[in-house]
Amino acid sequence: AQKITQTQPGMFVQEKEAVTLDCTYDTSDPSYGLFWYKQPSSGEMIFLIYQGSYDQQNATEGRYSLNFQKARKSANLVISASQLGDSAMYFCAMRERRDSNYQLIWGAGTKLIIKP
Amino acid sequence: DAGVIQSPRHEVTEMGQEVTLRCKPISGHDYLFWYRQTMMRGLELLIYFNNNVPIDDSGMPEDRFSAKMPNASFSTLKIQPSEPRDSAVYFCASSPGGREQFFGPGTRLTVL
C-alpha cells in the first residue's frame, strides 16, 4: 500500500490564485513528520515546510502553509497568491521511525504550472 | 553557510567504466542520504548513513553500486561497472537528526 499519495499528477493555476496540493499519508508511527519540497526545472530540491505529528498548529512559511488534518491523514500544501516562479514539481514526504532510525518516504510529486 | 556539495555536476561515461560520485554534507548534520531520480521511477532512496554508519541500503539496485562514508564530511557513491540504465540524476542530502533534508545540486550521470 502507498504510504504517501499525491493524487494530482499535474495542475494548471492562474497567477495570483491560491493553490492547494494534496497529500495523504499512512503510518503507524505516532511521532512522524511531514515535509514538502519544491523542484523547479533547474533540478534542485528545495525544502519548503515541515509539520510534526504533535504540532498543534498548522505550519506556515511565508506564502506556504500546511493544512494538516490528522484524523484524515492529510497534509495539503497551500500556496497563497501564486507566482510564475512557483511553477515546479512539488513532493510530499513523510518521516517515520523504523527501528531506531528514521526513514523518509516520498510521494510521486505534482507538477504545478502557473499561467500568466 | 555552504550547502551540500556534490561533484561532479555532470558525468558522461561509457558503459563498463567505473563512476564515483562525491558528496560533502553540511557540517554538523548526522544523516546523509543518496538518491537517484529518473523520469520513469521518480525519486528513489538508495542508501542512508547515520553518524557515518550505513543504516539502510535496501534501495541499492545491485552489487554494482556501493557507498562509503569514511568520515562525517565526505561520502562516495560508486558504480562499477556502469550501464546505460544507470543514467539518472544522483542527489546527496544531509539532515540534522533525521528531520528535514537539505539536498545538493545533484550529479547528472549519462552512461553511453
Side-chain angles (χ1 to χ4, degrees):
Chain A
Q2 291 284 340
K3 288 210 159 193
I4 290 283
T5 303
Q6 295 182 252
T7 56
Q8 307 148 310
M11 284 183 74
F12 286 91
V13 173
Q14 198 67 40
E15 188 181 8
K16 298 181 185 175
E17 289 184 353
V19 181
T20 297
L21 304 180
D22 296 340
C23 175
T24 57
Y25 59 92
D26 185 27
T27 182
S28 56
D29 179 7
S31 178
Y32 56 90
L34 297 154
F35 304 83
W36 278 92
Y37 285 82
K38 173 184 178 181
Q39 187 176 38
S41 58
S42 51
E44 69 268 34
M45 291 284 282
I46 304 165
F47 166 71
L48 294 178
I49 196 166
Y50 168 80
Q51 179 87 42
S53 59
Y54 293 124
D55 293 343
Q56 295 296 314
Q57 293 188 327
N58 286 347
T60 60
E61 291 286 347
R63 292 186 301 113
Y64 303 110
S65 61
L66 204 151
N67 183 3
F68 183 45
Q69 298 188 38
K70 198 169 181 177
R72 294 186 177 183
K73 294 190 174 181
S74 80
N76 298 340
L77 177 70
V78 180
I79 307 174
S80 62
S82 59
Q83 303 171 356
L84 296 178
D86 294 331
S87 295
M89 281 289 288
Y90 288 81
F91 293 94
C92 178
M94 177 179 68
R95 183 205 66 202
E96 63 176 2
R97 188 179 281 275
R98 178 172 291 190
D99 298 324
S100 58
N101 286 286
Y102 290 108
Q103 187 173 21
L104 203 66
I105 301 164
W106 295 81
T110 295
K111 183 163 186 169
L112 174 65
I113 297 174
I114 306 298
K115 300 183 293 183
Chain B
D1 225 7
V4 176
I5 299 171
Q6 289 187 249
S7 65
R9 294 293 306 277
H10 302 272
E11 176 82 30
V12 180
T13 190
E14 292 189 343
M15 183 173 64
Q17 296 297 308
E18 177 180 295
V19 175
T20 299
L21 310 181
R22 297 172 176 80
C23 175
K24 177 178 169 55
I26 294 172
S27 177
H29 285 191
D30 54 345
Y31 281 78
L32 184 138
F33 303 80
W34 281 102
Y35 290 92
R36 176 172 71 176
Q37 187 177 37
T38 61
M39 289 293 291
M40 290 293 293
R41 291 192 296 268
L43 194 65
E44 302 174 278
L45 176 66
L46 299 177
I47 185 171
Y48 77 94
F49 297 81
N50 181 21
N51 291 320
N52 313 339
V53 176
I55 300 302
D56 184 354
D57 66 353
S58 59
M60 296 285 261
E62 47 199 273
D63 292 345
R64 297 184 297 106
F65 285 69
S66 62
K68 293 183 180 179
M69 191 165 186
N71 57 61
S73 59
F74 184 66
S75 177
T76 59
L77 178 68
K78 188 174 291 187
I79 309 171
Q80 165 64 16
S82 58
E83 296 182 4
R85 60 193 167 118
D86 302 331
S87 297
V89 179
Y90 290 81
F91 286 104
C92 174
S94 69
S95 170
R99 243 190 67 156
E100 63 268 30
Q101 297 180 13
F102 296 87
F103 282 71
T107 295
R108 183 173 295 277
L109 173 65
T110 303
V111 183
L112 303 173

